[in-house]
Amino acid sequence: MQRQLAGVSGRAEAADGGVRVRVTPAGMPTELMISDEALELTGTELAAAIMQAVASATVSASQELRAIVGQVVPPDQLDALLRGTTSDADVAGVQEQIDALRSDVR
């Protein structure tokens, strides 16, 4: 499973293939290719094409990650991992630890 997870990435293209990206499951670009033809787009169009490709690639990587760990990691924790946030279970666990520490101090 670790080998599979290490290879998880998403790839996508936009602007008729003029923009190609590869991203991590969290959406961090690891490769970006912009063709000479894509450089003829306006700055706004090029930025939109890059963002579109990154978003599509991120969805692809997330789906691949879910297929690998979906049976092992609870959905709320996996969603939190992909968003870079904490899950409700994590927050509850921290709150329990804080409450336990407070009762020890009293």
Side-chain angles (χ1 to χ4, degrees):
M1 184 182 281
Q2 287 180 332
R3 222 174 302 128
Q4 286 178 309
L5 290 173
V8 173
S9 66
R11 291 181 175 83
E13 59 183 52
D16 296 324
V19 173
R20 296 183 186 161
V21 297
R22 180 175 164 194
V23 302
T24 67
M28 176 66 69
T30 57
E31 291 179 16
L32 172 63
M33 189 283 303
I34 301 172
S35 71
D36 291 338
E37 292 79 17
L39 290 174
E40 295 176 12
L41 297 170
T42 67
T44 301
E45 292 169 333
L46 182 56
I50 292 169
M51 295 303 290
Q52 176 189 356
V54 168
S56 295
T58 301
V59 168
S60 175
S62 295
Q63 290 171 340
E64 185 178 344
L65 181 67
R66 285 178 195 283
I68 295 169
V69 299
Q71 298 294 324
V72 180
V73 178
D76 64 327
Q77 291 180 4
L78 184 54
D79 288 342
L81 173 69
L82 292 172
R83 285 190 317 270
T85 60
T86 56
S87 69
D88 291 340
D90 292 334
V91 171
V94 169
Q95 187 62 51
E96 287 175 17
Q97 291 176 359
I98 291 171
D99 291 344
L101 289 171
R102 283 183 180 150
S103 66
D104 287 345
V105 172
R106 292 180 189 160

